[in-house]
């Protein structure tokens, strides 16, 4: 079965899968996001589901979906899209607020939302690479994986500048 394939290979196949998923009906993509055979299929489908419905997304709805989605992957991707709302005018949160959310949000989806917004703040701040590396090396990955993700993504951006 698909689940027997190496996870790295399944992850590599997710991007081309999305090219196929974007052509499907939204309801069918949602069903795959709920019951796809592997985590990678569900995550790819969840991303496309929210992308296909982006014009109707609202922060309040995403906040609920981030904690009460129909699959862990839908919750995670709701958080990814919600993070963008936290940078917009009507629902803007400060860097301190999204950092606290990335650390202490009540569910994974909200912590992902905080981390997604925090990544943007960190990239815009142009913190020195050494500062980003210090936070990464001193952050407890088990206690705050989403916070670590934000700093790792910002560090990747800093290496590229």
């Amino acid at each position: 079965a698909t689940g027997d394939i190496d996870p790295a290979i399944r992850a590599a196949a997710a991007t081309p899968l999305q090219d196929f998923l974007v052509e499907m009906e939204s309801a069918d993509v949602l069903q795959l996001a709920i019951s796809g055979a592997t985590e990678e299929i569900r995550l790819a489908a969840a991303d496309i589901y929210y992308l296909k419905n982006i014009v109707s997304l609202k922060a309040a709805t995403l906040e609920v979906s981030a904690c009460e989605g129909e699959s862990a992957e839908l919750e995670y991707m709701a958080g990814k899209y919600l993070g963008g709302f936290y940078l917009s005018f009507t629902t803007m949160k400060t860097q301190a607020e999204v950092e606290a959310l990335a650390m202490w949000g009540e569910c994974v989806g909200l912590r992902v939302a905080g981390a997604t917004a925090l990544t943007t703040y960190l990239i815009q701040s142009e913190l020195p690479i050494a500062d980003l590396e210090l936070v990464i090396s001193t952050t407890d990955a088990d206690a705050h994986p989403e916070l670590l993700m934000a700093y790792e993504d910002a560090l990747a951006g800093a290496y590229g500048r």
Side-chain angles (χ1 to χ4, degrees):
T2 331
D4 298 334
I5 297 171
D6 183 288
I9 294 171
R10 292 194 317 254
T15 300
L17 173 62
Q18 287 183 317
D19 293 339
F20 171 75
L21 294 174
V22 79
E23 300 297 327
M24 294 174 61
E25 293 295 322
S26 185
D28 295 332
V29 175
L30 176 60
Q31 190 55 46
L32 265 178
I34 296 167
S35 60
T38 68
E39 176 184 346
E40 295 81 8
I41 290 171
R42 292 187 302 274
L43 194 58
D47 187 11
I48 295 301
Y49 173 74
Y50 286 116
L51 181 65
K52 288 175 86 60
N53 293 284
I54 200 160
V55 295
S56 63
L57 296 178
K58 294 183 177 20
T61 304
L62 285 171
E63 286 174 335
V64 171
S65 297
C67 292
E68 300 173 13
E70 296 179 79
S71 72
E73 295 79 13
L74 281 163
E75 291 173 357
Y76 181 90
M77 290 311 299
K80 281 290 209 184
Y81 282 84
L82 179 59
F85 278 91
Y86 289 161
L87 299 169
S88 68
F89 180 71
T90 56
T91 54
M92 182 169 271
K93 293 191 179 293
T94 66
Q95 181 172 340
E97 288 173 321
V98 295
E99 186 159 356
L101 191 59
M103 293 176 67
W104 310 112
E106 70 182 72
C107 64
V108 171
L110 289 180
R111 291 191 301 273
V112 167
T116 300
L118 179 59
T119 298
T120 299
Y121 277 120
L122 293 171
I123 290 170
Q124 290 173 347
S125 74
E126 296 188 6
L127 281 172
I129 288 172
D131 291 357
L132 295 169
E133 290 173 338
L134 178 63
V135 172
I136 289 168
S137 66
T138 59
T139 297
D140 181 350
D142 292 330
H144 303 293
E146 294 81 15
L147 179 69
L148 186 60
M149 176 180 68
Y151 276 87
E152 287 172 345
D153 290 348
L155 181 60
Y159 284 151
R161 50 175 187 221

